[in-house]
Each structure stands twice: as C-alpha cells, then as structure tokens.
C-alpha cells in the first residue's frame, strides 16, 4: 500500500501558497502578472514560473506603473487643494475690498456652485471666518507692517469750530508725501485732557 498523503493538494491550496500572485478560474491556476495558466500539481513548476525572467519583469513593470499612477494622483490632489484655497482666499479679499460682510456669502453659494469653477468648494460664512480669515488677516497685517517699517510718519491733530459752534477735532496722517484725514470727532469740551 502506498503511504497515505498527509495533505490533499488542490488548485486552491496551491494558489493560497503564493500570496496575491495567482488566481483560480475554472480549476485553472492563472498568474495575475503574466496572465497565463500555470500547471499547479507540482510545486516545482509553479516555483519555476515565479523565478522565470518573464514573470519577474512583468511584476516589476506593473509595480512601476502602479507607483507612477499613485504619484500622479497625489500631485493632482495637491494642485486641486491649492487652487481651492486660492479661490477662497481671493473671495474673502474681494469681499473685504468691496466692504461686503462675509455673511452675504451664504446667499451667493448657489450662484458660485453653478457658475464658478470649483464654486461648490466654497464654505459657509462661519467656516470662512474661522478657518480662512485669520490667515488672510495675518498676511495683510504683515504687508502693512512692511509698508510702514522704519519710515517717518506724522500724526497731526487740530481743533476748530464748525458753523454750529461745535468743537471739531481733526486727525490727519502724513506718510510718504501723502496726507489723509483719518477721523473727525465732535467734542463737548476741548482741553489738554480730551485732546490727549
Ligand atoms: Zn507570472
């Protein structure tokens, strides 16, 4: 009597011996990389297929193309998120320049979604205020600081009376050969304390 086999080998058990290299179709073992059927009854035949030049080069080229696709996806995702941030920051700046409260964005969202490229990614006003506005404020603050950095500036305050006999205090800024009236205050009394 021949010795009893300890393990029954089937096309499925053979396939499971090699992780993610083969699949079984209609009781035939197929190589995922080479797309050819491989005789499975003898392990040595399967091992030889895995060691063949053809198989090794197929594995390498598929892994390379997989990596390339992943890199492409990653860089296009990054570009999309950068253009989305740019759109939102420009929108906030435009609203600030036009003196429009950010709250008004909410009612414009359907319009942006319909007519502006990536308009659907513009969030509601509270998100704009919390996540985007501080960053833009910082940038603007830094650029203002650079503008005035170590340059002479004069503040002029003077008091006069208007045609209703009220005391008017005008405050002017002089900077870079430009003079601007920045505030007009009507005071009850004009003394060195209120002026101070
Ligand atoms: Zn193969």
């Amino acid at each position: 009597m021949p010795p009893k086999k300890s393990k029954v080998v089937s096309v499925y058990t053979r396939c499971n011996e090699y992780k993610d290299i083969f699949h079984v179709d209609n009781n035939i073992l197929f190589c995922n990389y080479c797309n050819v059927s491989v005789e499975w009854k003898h392990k040595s035949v399967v091992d030889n297929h895995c060691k063949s030049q053809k198989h090794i080069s197929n594995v390498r080229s598929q892994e390379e193309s997989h990596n390339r696709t992943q890199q492409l996806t990653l860089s296009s995702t990054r570009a999309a998120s950068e253009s989305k941030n740019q759109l939102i920051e420009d929108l906030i700046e435009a609203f600030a320049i036009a003196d429009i409260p950010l709250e008004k964005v909410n009612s414009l969202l359907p319009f942006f979604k319909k007519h502006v490229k990536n308009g659907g990614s513009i969030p509601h006003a509270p998100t704009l205020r919390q996540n985007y506005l501080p960053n833009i404020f910082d940038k603007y603050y830094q650029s203002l600081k650079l503008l005035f950095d170590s340059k002479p500036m004069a503040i002029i305050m003077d008091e006069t009376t208007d045609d209703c006999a009220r005391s008017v205090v005008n405050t002017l800024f002089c900077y870079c050969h430009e003079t601007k009236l920045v505030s007009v205050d009507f005071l009850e009394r004009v003394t060195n304390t209120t002026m101070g």
Side-chain angles (χ1 to χ4, degrees), residues 11 14-15 22-24 27-31 36-38 40 46:
V11 65
R14 187 67 83 212
C15 182
F22 298 99
H23 69 275
V24 178
N27 270 321
I28 300 168
L29 189 69
F30 281 96
C31 174
V36 293
S37 63
V38 178
W40 56 268
V46 183

Side-chain angles (χ1 to χ4, degrees), residues 159 167 169 186-195:
E159 181 262 333
S167 303
V169 175
F186 296 93
L187 299 185
E188 292 276 311
R189 283 180 318 127
V190 179
T191 62
N192 57 351
T193 322
T194 53
M195 284 302 277

Side-chain angles (χ1 to χ4, degrees), residues 31 33-34 49 55:
C31 174
Y33 294 97
C34 310
H49 173 82
H55 176 84

